[in-house]
Amino acid sequence: PYRGYTYNNSSLICSGLPSIITPSSNNPQNPPNHILKYPHDINCIYTELFSLTPQLWNGQRSVYEPGSKSTKHVELDVMIHIGMHPDDSEEWFLGKRARRGKYEFAGDDGRYLI
């Protein structure tokens, strides 16, 4: 549970996404978009996130499909973070850029990113 919640709404959103998005009939020449989903909930512990992030970008199928025997490299075009916000608002947020300074909130382990 995240900060007392009995569910993880980001996990619910992710599990509800399709595995593939096909092009519209207006643009049939576009290739389908495949959605790879990381199969585990991730706690907000900054030291763990720093080691996980390169694994998410490395293109190994086994990161997204544990047990996969495929050695085929996966080309990632974009990655989307779906996470829970630490306050009790019911608002949705879309980040437009990477954070460059100190985070305002402590990680799940109570430690701040300095």
Side-chain angles (χ1 to χ4, degrees), residues 11 24 37 52 57 63 70 74 81-82 85 96 99 107:
S11 183
S24 73
K37 305 170 196 175
L52 177 61
W57 282 105
V63 171
S70 174
V74 177
H81 168 255
I82 304 170
H85 198 268
K96 297 185 278 186
R99 195 174 290 277

Side-chain angles (χ1 to χ4, degrees), residues 52-71:
L52 177 61
T53 300
Q55 293 176 40
L56 294 173
W57 282 105
N58 75 10
Q60 290 182 345
R61 185 171 296 279
S62 61
V63 171
Y64 298 94
E65 298 172 8
S68 173
K69 304 279 190 254
S70 174
T71 58

Side-chain angles (χ1 to χ4, degrees), residues 12-34:
L12 294 172
I13 293 167
C14 185
S15 66
L17 293 173
S19 297
I20 190 167
I21 300 174
T22 56
S24 73
S25 57
N26 296 338
N27 251 340
Q29 72 276 11
N30 289 343
N33 294 295
H34 296 267

